[in-house]
Amino acid sequence: MRIGFLTEGRLSEFEKSGRAERADLYCFSFGSIGEVDYEKEVRGESAALEELALFSRNFSCTAVAGCYTNAKGIRRRSAAVADRGRILGISDMTAGFDGEKFKCGFGLRVYETGAGRLGVIVGKDLYFPELIRSLAQCGSELIVVVYENLGDSLEQVLLRADAFRFGVPLCMCAYGYAQMAEVSGRLAFASPRSPVYFSPESVREYHLVETRLRGFYKPPELF
């Protein structure tokens, strides 16, 4: 698989520039398609989702774009997923922090795409390993994280730790930076350039892990 990252600028300008190369999966940072107002999209007054769908059709790829969505005044951090001309869905950040203006969404989803089974994590949902675990257990072959502004090294540490713990590679597209962690926990790729391309190796590790837990009590006569 070849992955392209656009970490700054608008998708429309990128497509017109002629810099887009062949890739199986494209990841676009927040702001690349602007705000997605669902009512305006339905009425045909805006075409942010259509723009993403057309890009995925024109380049025969899967595309994931960070965006701000607006549902009757309720704004969320989200990621839209398109595959070869079709919008497959939109994933929201499920956590809201300290009363900020962006509200929490609900639910996780694994997308069946031409680039494989993709899980999507939005923003600070990266802080919650149970979400990564759920996407991994539901068969994600790659988890795409769309993020806003990176801090120091915290996000990279979490990216590497979760790839190792749950056995699924994670790639991140943030403002001005792209990176990817492989299942060994090693940082396989990182770059401030935009656009930038990377072809990860496909590695799958399976192990039998046994553990002892308290609970699940049954009376002796039931054994």
Side-chain angles (χ1 to χ4, degrees):
M1 180 194 298
R2 190 168 192 244
I3 307 174
F5 298 88
L6 187 73
T7 61
E8 57 187 23
R10 294 295 297 255
L11 170 58
S12 56
E13 296 172 357
F14 172 60
E15 186 170 6
K16 292 176 183 177
S17 71
R19 296 182 297 159
E21 300 178 11
R22 188 204 64 78
D24 303 294
L25 169 65
Y26 263 100
C27 301
F28 301 102
S29 63
F30 278 92
S32 58
I33 60 173
E35 180 174 281
V36 175
D37 186 309
Y38 291 128
E39 289 186 319
K40 290 182 179 179
E41 290 284 319
V42 170
R43 292 198 299 262
E45 297 173 6
S46 65
L49 296 178
E50 181 183 7
E51 180 183 331
L52 184 67
L54 288 174
F55 179 90
S56 71
R57 185 195 67 184
N58 294 340
F59 289 90
S60 188
C61 68
T62 302
V64 180
C67 57
Y68 302 104
T69 54
N70 187 333
K72 294 186 175 181
I74 300 175
R75 301 185 71 219
R76 297 183 175 93
R77 293 181 178 90
S78 308
V81 182
D83 185 67
R84 290 162 173 75
R86 297 184 303 120
I87 294 294
L88 300 185
I90 296 179
S91 293
D92 298 323
M93 183 169 136
T94 64
F97 286 82
D98 300 326
E100 63 181 359
K101 63 180 180 180
F102 292 102
K103 304 302 181 183
C104 60
F106 177 78
L108 297 173
R109 183 173 172 184
V110 177
Y111 295 89
E112 295 278 359
T113 75
R117 293 171 59 86
L118 302 183
V120 175
I121 288 289
V122 181
K124 293 180 180 177
D125 275 356
L126 180 65
Y127 295 177
F128 300 92
E130 63 271 20
L131 301 181
I132 311 291
R133 179 194 294 272
S134 296
L135 290 174
Q137 290 178 335
C138 289
S140 297
E141 297 170 331
L142 172 68
I143 295 176
V144 177
V145 182
V146 289
Y147 207 85
E148 291 175 293
N149 295 299
L150 296 176
D152 43 21
S153 60
L154 174 61
E155 292 82 10
Q156 188 178 104
V157 170
L158 293 174
L159 202 73
R160 295 173 62 184
D162 287 340
F164 173 74
R165 280 189 292 194
F166 305 123
V168 179
L170 277 77
C171 68
M172 174 183 283
C173 187
Y175 286 141
Y177 206 75
Q179 54 189 333
M180 183 167 185
E182 58 186 25
V183 297
S184 66
R186 186 178 70 90
L187 191 66
F189 160 81
S191 175
R193 293 187 293 121
S194 180
V196 65
Y197 299 86
F198 179 67
S199 298
E201 295 182 8
S202 178
V203 178
R204 298 184 184 181
E205 283 285 320
Y206 296 90
H207 299 275
L208 176 63
V209 179
E210 296 181 285
T211 185
R212 297 178 66 183
L213 295 174
R214 297 184 66 175
F216 304 101
Y217 173 74
K218 292 183 179 180
E221 61 271 17
L222 295 182
F223 286 92

